[in-house]
Amino acid sequence: MENTLNRLRSELKAIEDELRELDGDPAYAVPERFAGQHDEMRAQTMLVLRHIEDARMRCGKVLQYADDGVSILDKKE
């Protein structure tokens, strides 16, 4: 289970990184090319990113609760 969740988290991170690269894509960066739809495209892209970030975090939560249930942020060193 842990291997699968870690693999999925890695795959989600790769998708997230690829979506973030859209900001640098020359075709995506030209608002005139998308006649009035550019703002909506950017907004939808941000929503996709947020959902992927959330999915990645929730995979981490499954791993957390499969272990001792304590967040790494709350663990004492």
Short mmCIF file of all heavy atoms in Angstrom, two decimals, residues 2-70:
data_model
loop_
_atom_site.label_atom_id
_atom_site.label_comp_id
_atom_site.label_asym_id
_atom_site.label_seq_id
_atom_site.Cartn_x
_atom_site.Cartn_y
_atom_site.Cartn_z
N GLU A 2 1.89 1.29 0.86
CA GLU A 2 2.74 2.47 0.96
C GLU A 2 3.43 2.78 -0.37
O GLU A 2 3.52 3.95 -0.77
CB GLU A 2 3.78 2.32 2.08
CG GLU A 2 3.19 2.37 3.47
CD GLU A 2 2.74 1.00 3.98
OE1 GLU A 2 2.81 0.01 3.22
OE2 GLU A 2 2.31 0.92 5.14
N ASN A 3 3.92 1.72 -1.04
CA ASN A 3 4.59 1.93 -2.32
C ASN A 3 3.65 2.53 -3.35
O ASN A 3 4.03 3.43 -4.10
CB ASN A 3 5.17 0.61 -2.85
CG ASN A 3 6.36 0.14 -2.03
OD1 ASN A 3 6.99 0.91 -1.33
ND2 ASN A 3 6.65 -1.13 -2.12
N THR A 4 2.42 2.03 -3.38
CA THR A 4 1.43 2.54 -4.33
C THR A 4 1.12 4.01 -4.05
O THR A 4 1.09 4.83 -4.97
CB THR A 4 0.13 1.71 -4.26
OG1 THR A 4 0.44 0.35 -4.59
CG2 THR A 4 -0.92 2.25 -5.22
N LEU A 5 0.91 4.34 -2.79
CA LEU A 5 0.58 5.73 -2.44
C LEU A 5 1.75 6.66 -2.73
O LEU A 5 1.56 7.77 -3.25
CB LEU A 5 0.17 5.83 -0.97
CG LEU A 5 -1.22 5.26 -0.67
CD1 LEU A 5 -1.42 5.08 0.82
CD2 LEU A 5 -2.31 6.16 -1.25
N ASN A 6 2.95 6.23 -2.44
CA ASN A 6 4.12 7.07 -2.73
C ASN A 6 4.29 7.25 -4.24
O ASN A 6 4.63 8.34 -4.71
CB ASN A 6 5.38 6.49 -2.11
CG ASN A 6 5.47 6.80 -0.63
OD1 ASN A 6 5.15 7.90 -0.20
ND2 ASN A 6 5.87 5.83 0.16
N ARG A 7 4.04 6.19 -5.01
CA ARG A 7 4.12 6.29 -6.48
C ARG A 7 3.06 7.27 -7.00
O ARG A 7 3.35 8.13 -7.83
CB ARG A 7 3.94 4.93 -7.13
CG ARG A 7 3.97 4.97 -8.65
CD ARG A 7 3.70 3.61 -9.29
NE ARG A 7 2.50 2.96 -8.82
CZ ARG A 7 1.25 3.26 -9.23
NH1 ARG A 7 1.06 4.21 -10.10
NH2 ARG A 7 0.22 2.60 -8.75
N LEU A 8 1.84 7.15 -6.49
CA LEU A 8 0.77 8.06 -6.91
C LEU A 8 1.08 9.51 -6.56
O LEU A 8 0.84 10.41 -7.36
CB LEU A 8 -0.57 7.63 -6.29
CG LEU A 8 -1.15 6.34 -6.85
CD1 LEU A 8 -2.35 5.90 -6.00
CD2 LEU A 8 -1.55 6.51 -8.30
N ARG A 9 1.64 9.73 -5.37
CA ARG A 9 2.03 11.08 -4.98
C ARG A 9 3.07 11.64 -5.95
O ARG A 9 3.00 12.81 -6.34
CB ARG A 9 2.56 11.11 -3.55
CG ARG A 9 1.46 10.89 -2.52
CD ARG A 9 1.98 10.98 -1.11
NE ARG A 9 2.11 12.39 -0.79
CZ ARG A 9 3.16 12.94 -0.19
NH1 ARG A 9 4.17 12.21 0.19
NH2 ARG A 9 3.19 14.22 0.06
N SER A 10 4.02 10.81 -6.35
CA SER A 10 5.05 11.24 -7.31
C SER A 10 4.43 11.57 -8.66
O SER A 10 4.80 12.56 -9.31
CB SER A 10 6.10 10.16 -7.48
OG SER A 10 6.83 10.00 -6.30
N GLU A 11 3.51 10.74 -9.11
CA GLU A 11 2.85 10.98 -10.39
C GLU A 11 2.02 12.26 -10.35
O GLU A 11 2.02 13.04 -11.31
CB GLU A 11 1.98 9.78 -10.79
CG GLU A 11 2.80 8.56 -11.16
CD GLU A 11 1.94 7.33 -11.42
OE1 GLU A 11 0.70 7.44 -11.53
OE2 GLU A 11 2.53 6.24 -11.53
N LEU A 12 1.32 12.48 -9.25
CA LEU A 12 0.53 13.71 -9.11
C LEU A 12 1.44 14.94 -9.11
O LEU A 12 1.11 15.97 -9.70
CB LEU A 12 -0.31 13.66 -7.84
CG LEU A 12 -1.51 12.73 -7.89
CD1 LEU A 12 -2.07 12.50 -6.49
CD2 LEU A 12 -2.58 13.26 -8.82
N LYS A 13 2.59 14.82 -8.46
CA LYS A 13 3.55 15.94 -8.44
C LYS A 13 4.05 16.24 -9.85
O LYS A 13 4.19 17.41 -10.24
CB LYS A 13 4.73 15.60 -7.50
CG LYS A 13 5.80 16.66 -7.45
CD LYS A 13 5.30 17.95 -6.86
CE LYS A 13 6.46 18.91 -6.64
NZ LYS A 13 6.06 20.29 -6.77
N ALA A 14 4.31 15.20 -10.64
CA ALA A 14 4.78 15.40 -12.01
C ALA A 14 3.69 16.09 -12.85
O ALA A 14 3.99 17.00 -13.64
CB ALA A 14 5.16 14.07 -12.64
N ILE A 15 2.45 15.70 -12.66
CA ILE A 15 1.34 16.35 -13.37
C ILE A 15 1.23 17.81 -12.93
O ILE A 15 1.06 18.72 -13.76
CB ILE A 15 0.01 15.60 -13.12
CG1 ILE A 15 0.06 14.23 -13.78
CG2 ILE A 15 -1.18 16.41 -13.64
CD1 ILE A 15 -1.08 13.31 -13.36
N GLU A 16 1.34 18.05 -11.65
CA GLU A 16 1.29 19.42 -11.11
C GLU A 16 2.39 20.28 -11.73
O GLU A 16 2.14 21.41 -12.18
CB GLU A 16 1.44 19.36 -9.60
CG GLU A 16 1.44 20.70 -8.92
CD GLU A 16 1.71 20.59 -7.44
OE1 GLU A 16 1.39 19.54 -6.83
OE2 GLU A 16 2.26 21.55 -6.88
N ASP A 17 3.60 19.75 -11.78
CA ASP A 17 4.73 20.49 -12.35
C ASP A 17 4.49 20.81 -13.82
O ASP A 17 4.79 21.91 -14.29
CB ASP A 17 6.03 19.72 -12.19
CG ASP A 17 6.48 19.63 -10.74
OD1 ASP A 17 5.99 20.41 -9.90
OD2 ASP A 17 7.33 18.76 -10.44
N GLU A 18 3.94 19.84 -14.55
CA GLU A 18 3.68 20.04 -15.97
C GLU A 18 2.61 21.13 -16.19
O GLU A 18 2.74 21.98 -17.08
CB GLU A 18 3.23 18.73 -16.61
CG GLU A 18 3.23 18.74 -18.11
CD GLU A 18 3.01 17.37 -18.71
OE1 GLU A 18 3.13 16.36 -18.00
OE2 GLU A 18 2.71 17.33 -19.92
N LEU A 19 1.59 21.13 -15.35
CA LEU A 19 0.56 22.17 -15.45
C LEU A 19 1.15 23.55 -15.14
O LEU A 19 0.79 24.54 -15.78
CB LEU A 19 -0.60 21.88 -14.50
CG LEU A 19 -1.59 20.84 -14.99
CD1 LEU A 19 -2.47 20.36 -13.84
CD2 LEU A 19 -2.45 21.41 -16.11
N ARG A 20 2.03 23.62 -14.16
CA ARG A 20 2.65 24.90 -13.82
C ARG A 20 3.50 25.44 -14.97
O ARG A 20 3.66 26.64 -15.13
CB ARG A 20 3.49 24.77 -12.56
CG ARG A 20 2.63 24.60 -11.32
CD ARG A 20 3.47 24.60 -10.05
NE ARG A 20 2.68 24.24 -8.91
CZ ARG A 20 1.82 25.04 -8.29
NH1 ARG A 20 1.64 26.26 -8.72
NH2 ARG A 20 1.14 24.61 -7.24
N GLU A 21 4.05 24.54 -15.77
CA GLU A 21 4.85 24.95 -16.93
C GLU A 21 4.01 25.65 -18.00
O GLU A 21 4.56 26.35 -18.85
CB GLU A 21 5.57 23.74 -17.54
CG GLU A 21 6.71 23.23 -16.69
CD GLU A 21 7.35 21.99 -17.28
OE1 GLU A 21 7.08 21.65 -18.45
OE2 GLU A 21 8.14 21.36 -16.55
N LEU A 22 2.69 25.46 -17.95
CA LEU A 22 1.83 26.13 -18.93
C LEU A 22 1.99 27.65 -18.89
O LEU A 22 1.86 28.32 -19.91
CB LEU A 22 0.35 25.78 -18.70
CG LEU A 22 -0.11 24.43 -19.18
CD1 LEU A 22 -1.57 24.21 -18.79
CD2 LEU A 22 0.06 24.29 -20.68
N ASP A 23 2.28 28.18 -17.72
CA ASP A 23 2.47 29.63 -17.61
C ASP A 23 3.61 30.11 -18.51
O ASP A 23 3.60 31.23 -18.97
CB ASP A 23 2.74 30.04 -16.17
CG ASP A 23 1.45 30.33 -15.42
OD1 ASP A 23 0.44 30.63 -16.08
OD2 ASP A 23 1.48 30.27 -14.19
N GLY A 24 4.59 29.25 -18.74
CA GLY A 24 5.71 29.61 -19.57
C GLY A 24 5.53 29.24 -21.04
O GLY A 24 6.37 29.59 -21.87
N ASP A 25 4.46 28.55 -21.36
CA ASP A 25 4.21 28.15 -22.74
C ASP A 25 3.86 29.37 -23.57
O ASP A 25 2.93 30.10 -23.24
CB ASP A 25 3.07 27.14 -22.79
CG ASP A 25 2.84 26.56 -24.17
OD1 ASP A 25 2.67 27.35 -25.12
OD2 ASP A 25 2.82 25.33 -24.29
N PRO A 26 4.59 29.64 -24.66
CA PRO A 26 4.33 30.83 -25.46
C PRO A 26 2.89 30.91 -25.98
O PRO A 26 2.29 31.99 -26.00
CB PRO A 26 5.31 30.71 -26.63
CG PRO A 26 6.38 29.80 -26.15
CD PRO A 26 5.73 28.88 -25.15
N ALA A 27 2.31 29.80 -26.37
CA ALA A 27 0.93 29.82 -26.89
C ALA A 27 -0.06 30.17 -25.79
O ALA A 27 -1.04 30.88 -26.02
CB ALA A 27 0.58 28.47 -27.50
N TYR A 28 0.18 29.69 -24.59
CA TYR A 28 -0.72 29.93 -23.46
C TYR A 28 -0.60 31.36 -22.95
O TYR A 28 -1.53 31.90 -22.39
CB TYR A 28 -0.36 28.94 -22.36
CG TYR A 28 -1.36 28.86 -21.23
CD1 TYR A 28 -2.55 28.16 -21.39
CD2 TYR A 28 -1.11 29.46 -20.01
CE1 TYR A 28 -3.45 28.06 -20.35
CE2 TYR A 28 -2.01 29.37 -18.97
CZ TYR A 28 -3.18 28.66 -19.14
OH TYR A 28 -4.08 28.57 -18.12
N ALA A 29 0.55 31.96 -23.17
CA ALA A 29 0.83 33.29 -22.62
C ALA A 29 0.30 34.44 -23.48
O ALA A 29 0.49 35.59 -23.14
CB ALA A 29 2.33 33.44 -22.42
N VAL A 30 -0.36 34.14 -24.58
CA VAL A 30 -0.86 35.19 -25.48
C VAL A 30 -2.38 35.27 -25.35
O VAL A 30 -3.12 34.50 -25.97
CB VAL A 30 -0.47 34.89 -26.96
CG1 VAL A 30 -0.98 35.99 -27.87
CG2 VAL A 30 1.02 34.72 -27.09
N PRO A 31 -2.88 36.21 -24.52
CA PRO A 31 -4.32 36.30 -24.29
C PRO A 31 -5.14 36.49 -25.57
O PRO A 31 -6.25 35.98 -25.68
CB PRO A 31 -4.47 37.52 -23.38
CG PRO A 31 -3.13 37.74 -22.79
CD PRO A 31 -2.14 37.20 -23.77
N GLU A 32 -4.59 37.23 -26.54
CA GLU A 32 -5.34 37.52 -27.76
C GLU A 32 -5.68 36.25 -28.55
O GLU A 32 -6.65 36.20 -29.29
CB GLU A 32 -4.56 38.47 -28.67
CG GLU A 32 -4.25 39.82 -28.04
CD GLU A 32 -3.06 39.78 -27.08
OE1 GLU A 32 -2.17 38.91 -27.23
OE2 GLU A 32 -3.04 40.60 -26.16
N ARG A 33 -4.88 35.24 -28.39
CA ARG A 33 -5.08 33.99 -29.13
C ARG A 33 -6.37 33.28 -28.72
O ARG A 33 -6.94 32.52 -29.48
CB ARG A 33 -3.89 33.08 -28.92
CG ARG A 33 -4.02 31.78 -29.67
CD ARG A 33 -2.71 31.03 -29.69
NE ARG A 33 -2.92 29.82 -30.46
CZ ARG A 33 -2.34 28.68 -30.23
NH1 ARG A 33 -1.48 28.58 -29.26
NH2 ARG A 33 -2.59 27.62 -30.96
N PHE A 34 -6.84 33.54 -27.52
CA PHE A 34 -7.99 32.81 -26.99
C PHE A 34 -9.22 33.69 -26.83
O PHE A 34 -10.11 33.37 -26.04
CB PHE A 34 -7.61 32.12 -25.68
CG PHE A 34 -6.45 31.19 -25.83
CD1 PHE A 34 -5.20 31.54 -25.37
CD2 PHE A 34 -6.61 29.99 -26.48
CE1 PHE A 34 -4.11 30.68 -25.53
CE2 PHE A 34 -5.53 29.12 -26.65
CZ PHE A 34 -4.29 29.47 -26.17
N ALA A 35 -9.30 34.76 -27.55
CA ALA A 35 -10.46 35.65 -27.67
C ALA A 35 -11.44 35.63 -26.50
O ALA A 35 -12.49 35.01 -26.55
CB ALA A 35 -11.20 35.33 -28.96
N GLY A 36 -11.08 36.30 -25.45
CA GLY A 36 -11.99 36.46 -24.32
C GLY A 36 -12.05 35.27 -23.38
O GLY A 36 -12.81 35.31 -22.41
N GLN A 37 -11.32 34.23 -23.65
CA GLN A 37 -11.37 33.03 -22.81
C GLN A 37 -10.12 32.86 -21.94
O GLN A 37 -10.05 31.95 -21.12
CB GLN A 37 -11.53 31.78 -23.69
CG GLN A 37 -12.78 31.78 -24.53
CD GLN A 37 -14.04 31.87 -23.68
OE1 GLN A 37 -14.15 31.24 -22.65
NE2 GLN A 37 -14.98 32.68 -24.11
N HIS A 38 -9.15 33.74 -22.14
CA HIS A 38 -7.87 33.57 -21.47
C HIS A 38 -8.00 33.57 -19.94
O HIS A 38 -7.42 32.71 -19.26
CB HIS A 38 -6.89 34.65 -21.93
CG HIS A 38 -5.50 34.40 -21.49
ND1 HIS A 38 -4.92 35.10 -20.45
CD2 HIS A 38 -4.56 33.52 -21.93
CE1 HIS A 38 -3.68 34.66 -20.29
NE2 HIS A 38 -3.44 33.71 -21.16
N ASP A 39 -8.73 34.51 -19.39
CA ASP A 39 -8.88 34.57 -17.93
C ASP A 39 -9.54 33.31 -17.40
O ASP A 39 -9.14 32.78 -16.35
CB ASP A 39 -9.69 35.80 -17.52
CG ASP A 39 -8.92 37.09 -17.72
OD1 ASP A 39 -7.67 37.04 -17.82
OD2 ASP A 39 -9.56 38.16 -17.78
N GLU A 40 -10.55 32.82 -18.11
CA GLU A 40 -11.23 31.60 -17.68
C GLU A 40 -10.30 30.39 -17.77
O GLU A 40 -10.30 29.52 -16.89
CB GLU A 40 -12.48 31.36 -18.52
CG GLU A 40 -13.34 30.22 -18.04
CD GLU A 40 -13.93 30.42 -16.66
OE1 GLU A 40 -14.13 31.58 -16.23
OE2 GLU A 40 -14.19 29.40 -15.99
N MET A 41 -9.47 30.35 -18.80
CA MET A 41 -8.51 29.26 -18.93
C MET A 41 -7.53 29.25 -17.75
O MET A 41 -7.26 28.20 -17.16
CB MET A 41 -7.72 29.41 -20.24
CG MET A 41 -8.52 29.11 -21.48
SD MET A 41 -7.64 29.58 -22.98
CE MET A 41 -6.15 28.61 -22.86
N ARG A 42 -7.04 30.41 -17.39
CA ARG A 42 -6.10 30.50 -16.26
C ARG A 42 -6.79 30.11 -14.95
O ARG A 42 -6.21 29.42 -14.13
CB ARG A 42 -5.52 31.90 -16.17
CG ARG A 42 -4.62 32.22 -17.37
CD ARG A 42 -3.93 33.55 -17.17
NE ARG A 42 -2.77 33.37 -16.32
CZ ARG A 42 -1.54 33.18 -16.76
NH1 ARG A 42 -1.32 33.15 -18.05
NH2 ARG A 42 -0.54 33.05 -15.95
N ALA A 43 -8.03 30.55 -14.77
CA ALA A 43 -8.76 30.22 -13.55
C ALA A 43 -8.99 28.71 -13.45
O ALA A 43 -8.82 28.11 -12.38
CB ALA A 43 -10.10 30.95 -13.52
N GLN A 44 -9.36 28.08 -14.56
CA GLN A 44 -9.59 26.64 -14.55
C GLN A 44 -8.29 25.88 -14.31
O GLN A 44 -8.28 24.86 -13.61
CB GLN A 44 -10.24 26.19 -15.86
CG GLN A 44 -11.65 26.71 -16.06
CD GLN A 44 -12.60 26.26 -14.97
OE1 GLN A 44 -12.52 25.14 -14.48
NE2 GLN A 44 -13.50 27.14 -14.58
N THR A 45 -7.20 26.38 -14.86
CA THR A 45 -5.91 25.74 -14.64
C THR A 45 -5.55 25.79 -13.15
O THR A 45 -5.06 24.81 -12.58
CB THR A 45 -4.80 26.43 -15.47
OG1 THR A 45 -5.15 26.33 -16.85
CG2 THR A 45 -3.45 25.79 -15.24
N MET A 46 -5.81 26.93 -12.51
CA MET A 46 -5.53 27.04 -11.08
C MET A 46 -6.40 26.08 -10.26
O MET A 46 -5.93 25.48 -9.28
CB MET A 46 -5.72 28.48 -10.59
CG MET A 46 -4.66 29.44 -11.12
SD MET A 46 -2.95 28.86 -10.91
CE MET A 46 -2.82 28.79 -9.14
N LEU A 47 -7.65 25.91 -10.67
CA LEU A 47 -8.52 24.95 -9.97
C LEU A 47 -7.99 23.53 -10.11
O LEU A 47 -8.00 22.75 -9.16
CB LEU A 47 -9.95 25.04 -10.50
CG LEU A 47 -10.75 26.25 -10.04
CD1 LEU A 47 -12.07 26.32 -10.78
CD2 LEU A 47 -10.98 26.20 -8.54
N VAL A 48 -7.54 23.18 -11.31
CA VAL A 48 -6.96 21.86 -11.52
C VAL A 48 -5.75 21.67 -10.60
O VAL A 48 -5.61 20.63 -9.94
CB VAL A 48 -6.54 21.67 -13.00
CG1 VAL A 48 -5.73 20.40 -13.17
CG2 VAL A 48 -7.74 21.65 -13.91
N LEU A 49 -4.90 22.68 -10.54
CA LEU A 49 -3.71 22.59 -9.68
C LEU A 49 -4.10 22.39 -8.22
O LEU A 49 -3.50 21.56 -7.53
CB LEU A 49 -2.87 23.85 -9.82
CG LEU A 49 -1.99 23.91 -11.06
CD1 LEU A 49 -1.44 25.32 -11.26
CD2 LEU A 49 -0.86 22.91 -10.95
N ARG A 50 -5.08 23.13 -7.76
CA ARG A 50 -5.51 23.00 -6.36
C ARG A 50 -6.03 21.60 -6.07
O ARG A 50 -5.76 21.03 -5.01
CB ARG A 50 -6.57 24.05 -6.00
CG ARG A 50 -6.11 25.48 -6.13
CD ARG A 50 -4.96 25.80 -5.17
NE ARG A 50 -4.45 27.12 -5.42
CZ ARG A 50 -3.27 27.38 -5.98
NH1 ARG A 50 -2.48 26.41 -6.34
NH2 ARG A 50 -2.87 28.61 -6.18
N HIS A 51 -6.79 21.04 -7.00
CA HIS A 51 -7.32 19.69 -6.79
C HIS A 51 -6.21 18.65 -6.79
O HIS A 51 -6.25 17.70 -6.00
CB HIS A 51 -8.37 19.36 -7.86
CG HIS A 51 -9.67 20.06 -7.64
ND1 HIS A 51 -10.53 19.73 -6.61
CD2 HIS A 51 -10.26 21.07 -8.30
CE1 HIS A 51 -11.59 20.51 -6.65
NE2 HIS A 51 -11.44 21.34 -7.67
N ILE A 52 -5.23 18.82 -7.65
CA ILE A 52 -4.11 17.87 -7.68
C ILE A 52 -3.29 17.99 -6.40
O ILE A 52 -2.89 16.98 -5.80
CB ILE A 52 -3.24 18.08 -8.94
CG1 ILE A 52 -4.04 17.62 -10.16
CG2 ILE A 52 -1.93 17.32 -8.83
CD1 ILE A 52 -3.38 17.93 -11.48
N GLU A 53 -3.05 19.22 -5.95
CA GLU A 53 -2.35 19.41 -4.67
C GLU A 53 -3.11 18.73 -3.54
O GLU A 53 -2.50 18.08 -2.69
CB GLU A 53 -2.20 20.90 -4.36
CG GLU A 53 -1.21 21.64 -5.21
CD GLU A 53 -1.23 23.14 -4.97
OE1 GLU A 53 -2.24 23.68 -4.48
OE2 GLU A 53 -0.21 23.78 -5.27
N ASP A 54 -4.42 18.89 -3.55
CA ASP A 54 -5.25 18.29 -2.50
C ASP A 54 -5.18 16.77 -2.56
O ASP A 54 -5.03 16.10 -1.53
CB ASP A 54 -6.70 18.76 -2.65
CG ASP A 54 -7.56 18.27 -1.51
OD1 ASP A 54 -7.28 18.63 -0.34
OD2 ASP A 54 -8.52 17.51 -1.78
N ALA A 55 -5.25 16.20 -3.76
CA ALA A 55 -5.18 14.74 -3.91
C ALA A 55 -3.84 14.21 -3.41
O ALA A 55 -3.77 13.18 -2.72
CB ALA A 55 -5.41 14.35 -5.37
N ARG A 56 -2.78 14.93 -3.74
CA ARG A 56 -1.44 14.52 -3.29
C ARG A 56 -1.34 14.57 -1.77
O ARG A 56 -0.82 13.65 -1.13
CB ARG A 56 -0.39 15.43 -3.94
CG ARG A 56 1.01 14.90 -3.84
CD ARG A 56 1.95 15.62 -4.81
NE ARG A 56 1.87 17.05 -4.78
CZ ARG A 56 2.65 17.84 -4.03
NH1 ARG A 56 3.58 17.33 -3.27
NH2 ARG A 56 2.52 19.15 -4.09
N MET A 57 -1.88 15.62 -1.17
CA MET A 57 -1.87 15.76 0.28
C MET A 57 -2.70 14.66 0.92
O MET A 57 -2.30 14.07 1.93
CB MET A 57 -2.42 17.14 0.68
CG MET A 57 -2.42 17.42 2.17
SD MET A 57 -3.93 16.98 3.07
CE MET A 57 -5.20 17.87 2.21
N ARG A 58 -3.82 14.31 0.33
CA ARG A 58 -4.68 13.28 0.92
C ARG A 58 -4.04 11.89 0.82
O ARG A 58 -4.22 11.07 1.72
CB ARG A 58 -6.05 13.31 0.29
CG ARG A 58 -6.72 14.65 0.60
CD ARG A 58 -8.20 14.67 0.60
NE ARG A 58 -8.65 16.02 0.91
CZ ARG A 58 -8.74 16.52 2.13
NH1 ARG A 58 -8.43 15.79 3.17
NH2 ARG A 58 -9.17 17.76 2.32
N CYS A 59 -3.27 11.64 -0.22
CA CYS A 59 -2.50 10.39 -0.27
C CYS A 59 -1.51 10.36 0.89
O CYS A 59 -1.31 9.32 1.53
CB CYS A 59 -1.74 10.27 -1.60
SG CYS A 59 -2.77 9.85 -3.01
N GLY A 60 -0.90 11.51 1.17
CA GLY A 60 0.01 11.61 2.31
C GLY A 60 -0.70 11.37 3.63
O GLY A 60 -0.15 10.76 4.55
N LYS A 61 -1.94 11.85 3.73
CA LYS A 61 -2.72 11.63 4.95
C LYS A 61 -3.01 10.14 5.15
O LYS A 61 -3.00 9.65 6.28
CB LYS A 61 -4.04 12.41 4.91
CG LYS A 61 -3.87 13.90 5.09
CD LYS A 61 -3.41 14.18 6.49
CE LYS A 61 -3.38 15.65 6.78
NZ LYS A 61 -2.86 15.91 8.13
N VAL A 62 -3.30 9.42 4.06
CA VAL A 62 -3.52 7.98 4.18
C VAL A 62 -2.25 7.33 4.73
O VAL A 62 -2.32 6.49 5.65
CB VAL A 62 -3.92 7.36 2.82
CG1 VAL A 62 -3.96 5.84 2.92
CG2 VAL A 62 -5.25 7.90 2.35
N LEU A 63 -1.10 7.73 4.20
CA LEU A 63 0.17 7.20 4.71
C LEU A 63 0.36 7.55 6.19
O LEU A 63 0.81 6.73 6.98
CB LEU A 63 1.34 7.75 3.88
CG LEU A 63 1.47 7.20 2.47
CD1 LEU A 63 2.46 8.03 1.67
CD2 LEU A 63 1.88 5.74 2.50
N GLN A 64 0.01 8.78 6.54
CA GLN A 64 0.14 9.23 7.93
C GLN A 64 -0.69 8.35 8.85
O GLN A 64 -0.20 7.86 9.87
CB GLN A 64 -0.31 10.68 8.05
CG GLN A 64 -0.40 11.20 9.47
CD GLN A 64 -0.99 12.60 9.53
OE1 GLN A 64 -0.85 13.39 8.62
NE2 GLN A 64 -1.68 12.90 10.61
N TYR A 65 -1.96 8.12 8.50
CA TYR A 65 -2.84 7.35 9.38
C TYR A 65 -2.53 5.86 9.34
O TYR A 65 -2.87 5.13 10.27
CB TYR A 65 -4.30 7.64 9.06
CG TYR A 65 -4.67 9.05 9.48
CD1 TYR A 65 -4.99 10.01 8.54
CD2 TYR A 65 -4.66 9.41 10.82
CE1 TYR A 65 -5.30 11.31 8.92
CE2 TYR A 65 -4.95 10.71 11.21
CZ TYR A 65 -5.28 11.64 10.27
OH TYR A 65 -5.59 12.92 10.65
N ALA A 66 -1.87 5.39 8.29
CA ALA A 66 -1.43 4.00 8.25
C ALA A 66 -0.23 3.79 9.16
O ALA A 66 0.07 2.67 9.56
CB ALA A 66 -1.08 3.61 6.81
N ASP A 67 0.45 4.90 9.50
CA ASP A 67 1.61 4.83 10.38
C ASP A 67 1.13 5.07 11.81
O ASP A 67 0.38 4.29 12.35
CB ASP A 67 2.65 5.86 9.93
CG ASP A 67 3.97 5.77 10.68
OD1 ASP A 67 4.29 4.68 11.19
OD2 ASP A 67 4.68 6.79 10.75
N ASP A 68 1.51 6.19 12.42
CA ASP A 68 1.11 6.46 13.81
C ASP A 68 0.04 7.54 13.91
O ASP A 68 -0.40 7.87 15.00
CB ASP A 68 2.33 6.83 14.64
CG ASP A 68 3.04 8.08 14.15
OD1 ASP A 68 2.54 8.73 13.21
OD2 ASP A 68 4.12 8.39 14.68
N GLY A 69 -0.38 8.10 12.76
CA GLY A 69 -1.44 9.10 12.78
C GLY A 69 -1.00 10.50 13.15
O GLY A 69 -1.82 11.41 13.20
N VAL A 70 0.28 10.69 13.37
CA VAL A 70 0.80 12.00 13.76
C VAL A 70 1.47 12.64 12.56
O VAL A 70 2.32 12.03 11.90
CB VAL A 70 1.80 11.89 14.93
CG1 VAL A 70 2.34 13.26 15.31
CG2 VAL A 70 1.14 11.23 16.13
#
